[in-house]
Amino acid sequence: MPSSPAAAARQILVRLQEVMAARTSAQAKLNKVVEIIGESLSSEVCSIYLVREGVLELFATRGLKQEAVHVTRMAMGEGLVGLIATNVEVMNLDEAAAHPDFSYRPETGEELFHSFAGVPIVRRERAIGVLCVQHADPRKYEEVEIEALQTVAMVLSELIAHAELADDGPADSRVADTSTTMLHGLQLVMGMARGHAVFHQPRIHVEHTVAEDTEAERARVISAFAKMREQIDRMTGAAEFGTEGEHQEVLETYKMFAYDEGWIRRINEAIDSGLTAEAAIEHVQQRTRMRMRQIDDALLQDRMHDLEDMANRLLRIVSGQLGTAATMGLRQDAILIARNLGPAELLEYDRRRLRGVILEEGSLTAHVTIVARAMGVPVLGRVRDVRHQLNEGDLILMDVAENTLLIRPSADMDEAFESKLHVTQKRRAEFAAMRDLPSVTTDGQRVELMVNAGLREDAQALDIVGADGIGLFRTEFQFLVSATLPQREKQQRLYKDVLDAAGDRPVIFRTVDIGGDKALPYMTRDGDEELEDNPAMGWRALRLALDRDALMKVQARALLEGSAGKVLNIMFPMVSEPWEYEQARALVEHQREWLQSQKKKLPIAVKYGAMLEVPALAEVLDILLPRVDFLSIGTNDLTQFLFAADRAHPKLAERYDWLSIAILRFLDRVVKACVAHQVPVGVCGEMGGRTLEAMALIGLGIRRLSITPASVGPVKAMIRAIDAQQLQDMMREWLDGGVTDIRTPLTQWAVERNIELS
């Protein structure tokens, strides 16, 4: 076997070209293909399974019993072959029978073989078959062999599609159903939108895979890279954001892919193996997709989306199919439909016509989400299979706050949506009118309304909505959108800019909450890169920061210098025991002492706080509270830890109830402890941004809420309409009286007093 993947694949492709050119049946060609691959990889078995009528059928084999051909069948997801096809993933096992999904088929005679490797045969982003090899001796196949199998599988997909041997739906099939459909997803950027469906781009289908002249193909790729870099430079330069800020950092990080030498090298190696320029780009991207599916890391997935965007752009250039919905122009109010988007792709669209974006993938930390938020474009993500649920031009009603997507709504639905949109706009005007009014209850009790933020531009929301300050500034956002660890000077400039924008209003900086599901590719544990089974409860937040104290020292110094001449409010996330808080506080104090010795300008005061997210901390508040200046309750993580219910799990949504008697009694106990120690306590999290839940918190005695800017108006209107003391008396009666459902009496209490709930 040749030492390089390119040489190995090329050796096989040279022989396959002769087979494909022969005037024989498709079955005869596949029979010959398995012989060639088996010989080249020194494998006793090589088999091809194809998807026919939704079932995987053994179509050709060398090494298994010939009588099993066209007889052995497996459902999608059944056995190792079914698993490869369903997950569109590579499998490489030294002992196949030991795998929990192994399915023994006696008619094949495969009990003689131990090792197993298989790759999907992919067409139009889905598996139409599986190519696998087996060997009598237990061994894992080498990387060079797997790479060769994947290259061959790409060529086979062309042969199989042309011979119409496998299921392969029409490229431009239309949805026949014209009824109204409601879908749900993940709330990425809040807002409402009405528009007609526009598909972001037609998928480029690679039809010709085997190159006739590799140097000519290489020249095409070099030319395409030059054009793509020119496009990216032009787009990032023309972005409507200033030269500072996370949006610009996002685009610069995205731009790095266009100049990534490793990516270019892998494409050239694929061309060396005998693939066309288009096939080489697609081959490298398929391999990247398969690897990324095996990594449960949200940030790396986001980076993969940027690379996917870049690969699609390169494919369009090299194939000459340059048209996208953006370049063709939007003719009417549009809602963009895509599997995913890169940030630069979104910037190409006419903002006057683009009303919303719907993604099959997407996440809160994805680059496109950050850019969309800056553009003010609502985004709903993780809408499964949306591209196959609608047709181009279908009317869509999108309400991200309600997590709903109505496709082809009835006239009544459309009218109701328009009314709600009008009411929403009217209420926004009303909220804007009360922007400068204090959030004081009818009985004169003041409730601080602060906002959650994470970007430099978020500080502008203070003036727009009339908030009292920033109750939670997520400092990790700067780390998440950067390709490398942000330098101290860059961190310091961000903190100073945020404080300057806030003026005399307080800003509470939370130290980095990274790790777990917010892992950084440039920061892993030394010698330990295994995936965590429970990332939310793993090596993250303060645990990570104390382990990597150099990271925290740099951030502490940046915070201290960035807040020179002002009050610095610093808060530590995910504190589970008092010693963690003490260690973190001592670290910051040590940096303050060092800066003082260097005659550096310092804050006029430093106030220290802790986040209560881990229930264990509630048991030691008598030890912790005398040492803190304030406490913030992070209701998002706290609730999922209390109920052992993943807040992202759709089947557990009903269990994640902020008005459960259990969570309210827990919060009541925390508030009482804080009052006894005269320590201010607030809530930062989604719970405080919902009017009914915010009412419950005020009824527990909480007088500081940190919420999204969009929630400030509705919550302030509610606060100015309630009698806080009367509400506290009712909450005490309900909590002490054993009421199991507080939502009902609380709602009734609000309705009787004409308090608007949203």
Coordinates of all heavy atoms in Angstrom, one line a residue, residues 556-609:
A556 N -8.0 39.3 34.9 CA -8.1 40.2 36.1 C -7.4 41.5 35.9 O -7.9 42.6 36.3 CB -7.6 39.4 37.3
R557 N -6.2 41.4 35.4 CA -5.4 42.6 35.1 C -6.1 43.5 34.1 O -6.2 44.7 34.3 CB -4.0 42.2 34.7 CG -3.1 43.4 34.5 CD -1.7 43.0 34.2 NE -0.9 44.1 33.6 CZ 0.3 44.0 33.1 NH1 0.9 42.9 33.0 NH2 0.9 45.1 32.6
A558 N -6.7 42.9 33.1 CA -7.4 43.7 32.0 C -8.6 44.4 32.6 O -8.9 45.5 32.3 CB -7.8 42.8 30.9
L559 N -9.3 43.7 33.5 CA -10.5 44.3 34.2 C -10.1 45.4 35.1 O -10.7 46.5 35.1 CB -11.2 43.2 35.0 CG -12.1 42.2 34.1 CD1 -12.5 41.0 35.0 CD2 -13.4 42.9 33.6
L560 N -9.0 45.2 35.9 CA -8.6 46.2 36.8 C -8.1 47.5 36.1 O -8.5 48.6 36.4 CB -7.5 45.7 37.7 CG -7.9 44.6 38.7 CD1 -6.7 43.8 39.2 CD2 -8.7 45.3 39.9
E561 N -7.3 47.3 35.0 CA -6.8 48.5 34.3 C -7.9 49.1 33.4 O -7.9 50.3 33.3 CB -5.6 48.0 33.4 CG -4.4 47.7 34.2 CD -3.1 47.5 33.4 OE1 -2.5 48.6 33.1 OE2 -2.8 46.4 32.9
G562 N -8.8 48.3 32.9 CA -9.9 48.8 32.1 C -10.9 49.6 32.8 O -11.6 50.5 32.3
S563 N -11.0 49.4 34.2 CA -11.9 50.1 35.0 C -11.3 51.2 35.9 O -11.8 51.6 36.9 CB -12.7 49.1 35.8 OG -11.9 48.4 36.6
A564 N -10.1 51.6 35.5 CA -9.4 52.6 36.2 C -10.2 53.9 36.5 O -10.8 54.4 35.5 CB -8.1 53.0 35.5
G565 N -10.3 54.3 37.7 CA -11.1 55.5 38.0 C -12.5 55.3 38.2 O -13.3 56.2 38.5
K566 N -13.0 54.0 38.1 CA -14.4 53.7 38.2 C -14.5 52.5 39.2 O -13.6 52.0 39.7 CB -15.0 53.3 36.9 CG -14.9 54.5 35.9 CD -15.6 54.2 34.6 CE -15.6 55.4 33.7 NZ -16.4 55.2 32.4
V567 N -15.8 52.2 39.5 CA -16.0 51.0 40.4 C -16.1 49.8 39.5 O -16.7 49.7 38.5 CB -17.4 51.2 41.1 CG1 -17.7 49.9 41.9 CG2 -17.4 52.4 42.0
L568 N -15.3 48.7 39.9 CA -15.3 47.5 39.2 C -16.1 46.5 39.9 O -15.9 46.2 41.1 CB -13.8 46.9 39.1 CG -13.7 45.5 38.5 CD1 -14.3 45.4 37.1 CD2 -12.2 45.0 38.6
N569 N -17.2 46.0 39.3 CA -18.0 44.9 39.8 C -17.6 43.6 39.1 O -17.8 43.5 37.9 CB -19.5 45.2 39.6 CG -20.0 46.4 40.4 OD1 -20.2 46.3 41.6 ND2 -20.1 47.5 39.6
I570 N -17.1 42.7 39.8 CA -16.6 41.4 39.2 C -17.3 40.2 39.9 O -17.4 40.2 41.1 CB -15.0 41.3 39.4 CG1 -14.5 40.1 38.6 CG2 -14.6 41.3 40.8 CD1 -13.0 40.2 38.5
M571 N -17.7 39.3 39.0 CA -18.5 38.2 39.5 C -17.9 36.9 39.0 O -17.6 36.8 37.8 CB -20.0 38.4 39.0 CG -20.9 37.3 39.3 SD -22.6 37.8 39.0 CE -22.6 38.0 37.2
F572 N -17.9 35.9 39.9 CA -17.3 34.6 39.5 C -18.4 33.6 39.2 O -19.3 33.4 40.0 CB -16.4 34.1 40.6 CG -15.3 35.0 41.0 CD1 -15.2 35.6 42.3 CD2 -14.4 35.5 40.0 CE1 -14.3 36.5 42.6 CE2 -13.4 36.4 40.4 CZ -13.3 36.9 41.7
P573 N -18.4 32.9 38.1 CA -19.5 32.0 37.7 C -19.3 30.6 38.3 O -18.2 30.1 38.5 CB -19.4 31.9 36.2 CG -17.9 32.1 35.9 CD -17.4 33.0 37.0
M574 N -20.4 29.9 38.5 CA -20.4 28.5 38.8 C -19.6 28.2 40.1 O -18.8 27.2 40.2 CB -19.9 27.6 37.7 CG -20.5 26.2 37.7 SD -20.0 25.2 36.3 CE -20.8 23.6 36.8
V575 N -19.7 29.0 41.1 CA -19.1 28.8 42.4 C -19.9 27.7 43.1 O -21.1 27.8 43.2 CB -19.1 30.0 43.3 CG1 -18.5 29.7 44.6 CG2 -18.3 31.2 42.6
S576 N -19.2 26.6 43.5 CA -19.9 25.5 44.2 C -19.5 25.4 45.6 O -20.3 24.9 46.5 CB -19.7 24.2 43.5 OG -18.3 23.9 43.3
E577 N -18.3 26.0 46.0 CA -17.9 26.0 47.4 C -17.2 27.3 47.7 O -16.6 27.9 46.8 CB -17.0 24.8 47.7 CG -17.6 23.4 47.5 CD -16.7 22.3 47.9 OE1 -16.5 22.2 49.2 OE2 -16.2 21.6 47.1
P578 N -17.3 27.7 49.0 CA -16.7 29.0 49.3 C -15.2 29.1 49.0 O -14.7 30.2 48.6 CB -16.9 29.1 50.8 CG -18.1 28.3 51.1 CD -18.0 27.2 50.1
W579 N -14.4 28.0 49.1 CA -13.0 28.1 48.8 C -12.7 28.5 47.4 O -11.7 29.2 47.1 CB -12.3 26.8 49.2 CG -12.6 25.6 48.3 CD1 -13.5 24.7 48.5 CD2 -12.0 25.4 47.0 NE1 -13.5 23.8 47.5 CE2 -12.5 24.2 46.5 CE3 -11.0 26.0 46.2 CZ2 -12.2 23.6 45.3 CZ3 -10.6 25.4 45.0 CH2 -11.2 24.2 44.6
E580 N -13.6 28.2 46.5 CA -13.4 28.6 45.1 C -13.5 30.1 44.9 O -12.7 30.7 44.2 CB -14.4 27.9 44.2 CG -14.3 26.4 44.1 CD -15.4 25.7 43.3 OE1 -16.5 26.1 43.5 OE2 -15.1 24.9 42.4
Y581 N -14.5 30.6 45.6 CA -14.6 32.1 45.6 C -13.4 32.8 46.2 O -12.9 33.7 45.7 CB -15.9 32.5 46.3 CG -16.0 34.0 46.6 CD1 -16.4 34.9 45.6 CD2 -15.7 34.4 47.9 CE1 -16.5 36.2 45.9 CE2 -15.7 35.8 48.1 CZ -16.1 36.7 47.2 OH -16.2 38.0 47.4
E582 N -13.0 32.2 47.4 CA -11.9 32.8 48.1 C -10.6 32.8 47.2 O -9.8 33.8 47.1 CB -11.6 32.1 49.4 CG -12.7 32.2 50.4 CD -12.8 33.6 51.0 OE1 -12.0 34.5 50.7 OE2 -13.7 33.8 51.9
Q583 N -10.4 31.7 46.5 CA -9.2 31.6 45.7 C -9.2 32.5 44.5 O -8.2 33.2 44.2 CB -9.1 30.1 45.2 CG -7.8 29.8 44.5 CD -7.6 28.3 44.2 OE1 -8.2 27.5 44.9 NE2 -6.9 28.0 43.1
A584 N -10.4 32.7 43.9 CA -10.6 33.6 42.8 C -10.4 35.0 43.2 O -9.7 35.8 42.5 CB -11.9 33.4 42.1
R585 N -11.0 35.4 44.3 CA -10.9 36.7 44.9 C -9.5 37.1 45.2 O -9.0 38.2 44.9 CB -11.8 36.9 46.1 CG -11.9 38.3 46.7 CD -12.8 38.2 47.9 NE -13.2 39.6 48.4 CZ -12.4 40.4 49.1 NH1 -11.2 39.9 49.5 NH2 -12.8 41.6 49.5
A586 N -8.7 36.1 45.8 CA -7.3 36.3 46.2 C -6.5 36.6 44.9 O -5.5 37.4 44.9 CB -6.8 35.1 47.0
L587 N -6.8 35.8 43.8 CA -6.1 36.0 42.6 C -6.2 37.4 42.0 O -5.2 38.0 41.6 CB -6.6 35.0 41.6 CG -5.8 34.9 40.2 CD1 -5.9 33.4 39.7 CD2 -6.4 35.8 39.2
V588 N -7.5 37.9 42.1 CA -7.7 39.3 41.6 C -7.0 40.3 42.5 O -6.4 41.3 42.0 CB -9.2 39.6 41.5 CG1 -9.4 41.0 41.0 CG2 -9.9 38.6 40.5
E589 N -7.1 40.1 43.8 CA -6.5 41.0 44.7 C -4.9 41.0 44.6 O -4.3 42.1 44.7 CB -6.8 40.6 46.2 CG -8.2 41.0 46.6 CD -8.3 42.6 46.6 OE1 -7.5 43.2 47.3 OE2 -9.3 43.1 45.9
H590 N -4.4 39.9 44.3 CA -2.9 39.8 44.1 C -2.5 40.7 42.8 O -1.5 41.4 42.9 CB -2.5 38.4 43.9 CG -1.0 38.2 43.6 ND1 -0.1 38.4 44.6 CD2 -0.3 37.9 42.5 CE1 1.1 38.2 44.1 NE2 1.0 37.9 42.8
Q591 N -3.4 40.6 41.8 CA -3.1 41.4 40.6 C -3.3 42.9 40.9 O -2.5 43.7 40.4 CB -4.1 41.0 39.5 CG -3.8 39.6 38.9 CD -2.4 39.5 38.3 OE1 -2.0 40.2 37.5 NE2 -1.6 38.5 38.8
R592 N -4.2 43.2 41.7 CA -4.4 44.6 42.1 C -3.2 45.1 42.9 O -2.8 46.2 42.6 CB -5.7 44.8 43.0 CG -5.9 46.2 43.4 CD -7.3 46.6 43.7 NE -7.9 46.0 44.9 CZ -8.9 46.5 45.6 NH1 -9.4 47.7 45.3 NH2 -9.4 45.9 46.7
E593 N -2.7 44.3 43.8 CA -1.5 44.7 44.6 C -0.3 44.9 43.6 O 0.5 45.9 43.8 CB -1.2 43.7 45.6 CG -2.2 43.6 46.8 CD -2.1 42.4 47.6 OE1 -1.1 41.6 47.4 OE2 -3.0 42.2 48.5
W594 N -0.2 44.0 42.7 CA 1.0 44.1 41.8 C 0.9 45.4 40.9 O 1.8 46.1 40.7 CB 1.0 42.9 40.8 CG 2.2 42.9 40.0 CD1 3.5 42.5 40.3 CD2 2.3 43.4 38.6 NE1 4.4 42.7 39.2 CE2 3.7 43.3 38.2 CE3 1.4 44.0 37.8 CZ2 4.1 43.7 36.9 CZ3 1.8 44.4 36.5 CH2 3.2 44.2 36.1
L595 N -0.3 45.7 40.4 CA -0.5 46.9 39.6 C -0.3 48.2 40.4 O 0.2 49.1 39.9 CB -2.0 46.9 39.0 CG -2.2 45.9 37.9 CD1 -3.7 45.9 37.6 CD2 -1.4 46.2 36.6
Q596 N -0.7 48.1 41.7 CA -0.5 49.2 42.6 C 1.0 49.5 42.8 O 1.5 50.6 42.8 CB -1.2 49.0 43.9 CG -1.3 50.2 44.8 CD -2.2 49.9 46.0 OE1 -2.4 48.8 46.4 NE2 -2.9 50.9 46.4
S597 N 1.8 48.4 42.9 CA 3.2 48.5 43.0 C 3.9 49.1 41.8 O 5.0 49.7 41.8 CB 3.9 47.2 43.4 OG 3.8 46.3 42.2
Q598 N 3.2 48.9 40.6 CA 3.7 49.5 39.4 C 3.2 50.9 39.1 O 3.4 51.4 38.0 CB 3.3 48.5 38.2 CG 3.9 47.1 38.4 CD 5.4 47.0 38.4 OE1 6.0 47.6 37.4 NE2 6.0 46.4 39.4
K599 N 2.5 51.4 40.1 CA 2.0 52.8 39.9 C 0.9 52.9 38.8 O 0.8 54.0 38.2 CB 3.1 53.8 39.7 CG 4.2 53.8 40.7 CD 3.8 54.1 42.1 CE 5.0 54.2 43.0 NZ 4.7 53.8 44.4
K600 N 0.2 51.8 38.6 CA -0.8 51.8 37.5 C -2.1 52.4 38.1 O -2.4 52.3 39.3 CB -1.1 50.4 37.0 CG 0.1 49.7 36.4 CD 0.3 50.2 35.0 CE 1.4 49.4 34.3 NZ 1.7 49.9 32.9
K601 N -2.9 53.0 37.2 CA -4.2 53.6 37.7 C -5.2 52.4 37.9 O -5.2 51.4 37.2 CB -4.8 54.5 36.6 CG -4.1 55.8 36.4 CD -4.7 56.7 35.3 CE -4.0 58.0 35.2 NZ -4.6 58.8 34.2
L602 N -5.9 52.5 39.0 CA -6.8 51.4 39.5 C -8.2 51.9 39.7 O -8.5 53.1 39.7 CB -6.2 50.8 40.8 CG -4.9 50.1 40.7 CD1 -4.4 49.8 42.1 CD2 -5.0 48.8 39.9
P603 N -9.1 50.9 39.8 CA -10.5 51.3 40.1 C -10.6 52.0 41.5 O -9.8 51.7 42.4 CB -11.2 49.9 40.2 CG -10.3 49.0 39.5 CD -8.9 49.5 39.7
I604 N -11.6 52.8 41.7 CA -11.7 53.5 43.0 C -12.2 52.5 44.0 O -12.1 52.7 45.2 CB -12.7 54.7 42.9 CG1 -14.0 54.3 42.3 CG2 -12.0 55.8 42.0 CD1 -15.1 55.4 42.3
A605 N -12.9 51.4 43.5 CA -13.3 50.3 44.4 C -13.6 49.1 43.6 O -13.8 49.1 42.4 CB -14.6 50.7 45.1
V606 N -13.4 47.9 44.2 CA -13.7 46.6 43.6 C -14.7 45.9 44.4 O -14.5 45.7 45.6 CB -12.4 45.8 43.4 CG1 -12.8 44.4 42.8 CG2 -11.3 46.5 42.6
K607 N -15.8 45.6 43.8 CA -16.9 44.8 44.5 C -16.9 43.4 44.0 O -16.9 43.2 42.7 CB -18.2 45.5 44.4 CG -18.3 46.9 45.0 CD -19.7 47.4 44.9 CE -19.8 48.8 45.6 NZ -21.1 49.4 45.5
Y608 N -16.9 42.4 44.9 CA -16.9 41.0 44.4 C -18.2 40.3 44.7 O -18.9 40.5 45.7 CB -15.8 40.3 45.2 CG -14.4 40.7 44.9 CD1 -13.7 41.7 45.7 CD2 -13.7 40.2 43.9 CE1 -12.5 42.1 45.5 CE2 -12.4 40.6 43.6 CZ -11.8 41.6 44.4 OH -10.5 42.0 44.1
G609 N -18.6 39.5 43.7 CA -19.8 38.8 43.8 C -19.6 37.3 43.3 O -18.6 37.0 42.6

